[in-house]
C-alpha cells in the first residue's frame, strides 16, 4: 500500500495507523497524528485503518514563538 | 497577579522557545525570565527520530505552563487541525492561535482568525489569539468567545517596538477587564516597559531574547521592564507638560545681591 507520510511517499504493509508508526520506527512517545486532514487521537490509532493513497501527518513538540 | 483563563500567574512575561543558541541557554533564559508560560510548536517528526521527545523532556523539566501555537498555519482548517493535534499531545486546552495572512509581514489573517477562534472556543479550547491591534477585530474575537487578546505591536521578529501607541491605548481603554498581552514586535526592554505603562497585562516575546548577545541576561532585563511598566501604570504617572516646573521649592531660596 502506498501512503504519503509527512509529505513523502512510503510503500508499507501496515493496516492501521498504530502499525504504521511501528513499521516506520516512530518509537518516540510524544507524537500527534492526523489522517487525511483529520485528527487521530493517540488512543484511536490502533482502530484506524489505512487505505491506499492516504495522507498521514506525524508531528512532535518543537521550539516555537 | 495575572489571571489567564482562570490560571493565576506570578509573571507578566510569556517566552517563546525558538532560536536560542543551545538548549542549555534556552533553559537558563526561561529561568532568568521567571516566566510561567512558554510557547511551543508542532512540527513533522522524522521516521525513527526523537527530536520531539528530547525537546519535550527539556520543556517539562522547567515546570512551567505550555502554550502550544499554530505558527505557520495559513487557513482555518490548518489552524484548527494543528490546535486539535496540540491538545492531543500536550494535554492542554490552551492554544496560541496564529493564522498568517501575509508572507512578508506575518500579520494575521484576521477574518480566518475570528472564524478559527469561534470553532476552537466552541470545541472547548481556551484561545489566545495573535491579532493585529484593530479594535473591531478585538470585538469580534471576544464575541467568538476569547477571554484573552494578544495584539502585535509590530511584525514578528522585527524588534521595531510599539508602532501604534494610539491603537494599543484604544484597546486598553475599550476592554478594561480583558487580559491584553502584547505579542510580537518587541525589540528591547524599553518597548516592553512602554506597552506595560499603557496598562497591558503581559508581554510575549521570543526573538528579542533568543537573538540577544546574552539571551539569559536579556530575559532578566525584559522581566524587570515588564514589572516596572506594570507598577508604573498602577502608580499613576505624571502627564507631560510643555513648560518646566521647578522640583526644588522656590520659597525660602536665599537672595544674593
Amino acid at each position: 500500500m502506498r501512503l504519503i507520510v509527512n509529505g513523502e511517499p512510503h510503500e508499507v504493509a501496515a493496516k492501521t495507523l498504530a502499525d504504521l508508526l511501528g513499521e516506520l520506527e516512530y518509537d518516540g512517545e510524544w507524537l500527534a497524528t492526523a489522517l487525511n486532514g483529520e485528527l487521530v487521537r493517540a488512543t484511536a490509532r490502533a482502530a484506524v485503518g489505512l487505505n491506499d493513497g492516504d495522507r498521514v501527518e506525524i508531528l512532535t513538540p518543537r521550539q516555537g514563538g | 497577579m495575572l489571571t489567564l483563563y482562570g490560571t493565576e500567574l506570578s509573571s507578566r512575561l510569556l517566552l517563546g522557545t525558538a532560536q536560542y543558541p543551545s538548549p542549555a541557554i534556552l533553559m537558563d533564559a526561561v529561568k532568568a525570565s521567571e516566566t510561567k508560560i512558554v510557547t511551543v510548536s508542532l512540527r513533522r517528526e522524522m521516521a525513527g527520530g526523537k527530536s520531539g521527545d528530547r525537546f519535550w523532556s527539556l520543556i517539562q523539566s522547567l515546570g512551567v505552563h505550555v502554550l502550544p501555537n499554530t505558527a505557520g498555519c495559513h487557513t482555518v482548517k490548518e489552524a484548527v487541525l494543528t490546535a486539535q493535534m496540540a491538545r492531543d499531545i500536550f494535554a492542554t486546552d490552551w492554544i496560541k492561535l496564529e493564522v498568517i495572512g501575509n508572507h512578508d509581514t506575518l500579520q494575521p489573517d484576521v477574518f480566518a482568525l475570528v472564524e478559527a477562534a469561534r470553532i476552537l472556543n466552541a470545541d472547548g479550547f481556551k484561545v489566545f489569539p495573535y491579532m493585529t491591534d484593530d479594535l473591531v477585530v478585538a470585538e469580534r474575537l471576544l464575541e467568538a468567545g476569547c477571554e484573552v487578546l494578544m495584539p502585535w505591536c509590530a511584525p514578528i521578529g522585527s524588534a521595531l517596538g510599539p508602532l501604534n501607541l494610539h491603537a494599543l491605548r484604544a484597546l486598553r481603554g475599550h476592554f478594561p477587564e480583558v487580559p491584553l498581552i502584547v505579542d510580537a514586535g518587541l525589540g528591547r526592554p524599553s518597548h516592553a516597559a512602554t506597552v506595560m505603562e499603557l496598562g497591558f497585562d503581559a508581554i510575549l516575546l521570543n526573538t528579542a531574547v533568543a537573538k540577544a548577545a546574552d539571551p539569559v541576561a536579556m530575559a532578566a532585563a525584559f522581566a524587570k521592564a515588564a514589572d516596572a511598566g506594570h507598577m508604573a501604570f498602577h502608580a499613576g504617572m505624571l502627564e507631560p507638560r510643555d513648560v518646566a516646573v521647578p522640583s526644588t521649592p522656590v520659597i525660602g531660596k536665599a537672595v544674593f545681591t
Side-chain angles (χ1 to χ4, degrees), chain B residues 11-149:
Chain B
S11 162
R12 293 185 177 272
L13 187 156
L14 291 72
L15 195 60
T17 56
Q19 306 184 78
Y20 292 82
S22 72
I25 292 175
L26 161 62
M27 289 186 77
D28 288 345
V30 168
K31 288 171 191 161
S33 74
E34 297 182 14
T35 185
K36 297 301 171 205
I37 300 178
V38 296
T39 56
V40 297
S41 71
L42 278 183
R43 288 293 179 263
R44 285 172 167 173
E45 181 68 291
M46 301 290 289
K50 286 201 171 176
S51 346
D53 274 27
R54 281 195 297 276
F55 173 67
W56 185 232
S57 306
L58 184 154
I59 294 300
Q60 284 182 305
S61 74
L62 294 168
V64 296
H65 296 277
V66 170
L67 177 58
N69 69 28
T70 63
C73 292
H74 285 77
T75 66
V76 172
K77 184 172 169 49
E78 279 181 336
V80 168
L81 177 58
T82 303
Q84 290 169 337
M85 293 177 84
R87 182 164 63 179
D88 194 49
I89 203 168
F90 297 113
T92 177
D93 46 17
W94 286 9
I95 190 75
K96 174 180 164 180
L97 182 60
E98 294 184 37
V99 189
I100 300 302
N102 183 281
H103 288 285
D104 293 327
T105 62
L106 293 181
Q107 73 189 81
D109 174 342
V110 295
F111 305 98
L113 178 70
V114 171
E115 190 182 341
R118 187 171 291 118
I119 293 168
L120 291 171
N121 281 315
D123 191 20
F125 281 90
K126 296 180 169 66
V127 177
F128 295 65
Y130 160 62
M131 55 180 284
T132 54
D133 53 18
D134 188 281
L135 186 62
V136 179
V137 170
E139 285 176 347
R140 295 290 183 273
L141 287 166
L142 294 173
E143 286 166 11
C146 296
E147 296 178 19
V148 172
L149 298 175

Side-chain angles (χ1 to χ4, degrees), chain A residues 12-26:
Chain A
V12 300
K15 298 275 191 293
T16 68
L17 195 50
D19 289 345
L20 178 72
L21 293 181
E23 184 175 338
L24 297 182
E25 298 180 340
Y26 278 93

Side-chain angles (χ1 to χ4, degrees), chain B residues 237-248:
Chain B
M237 284 166 287
L238 190 66
E239 288 304 315
R241 294 178 286 200
D242 288 333
V243 293
V245 179
S247 49
T248 303

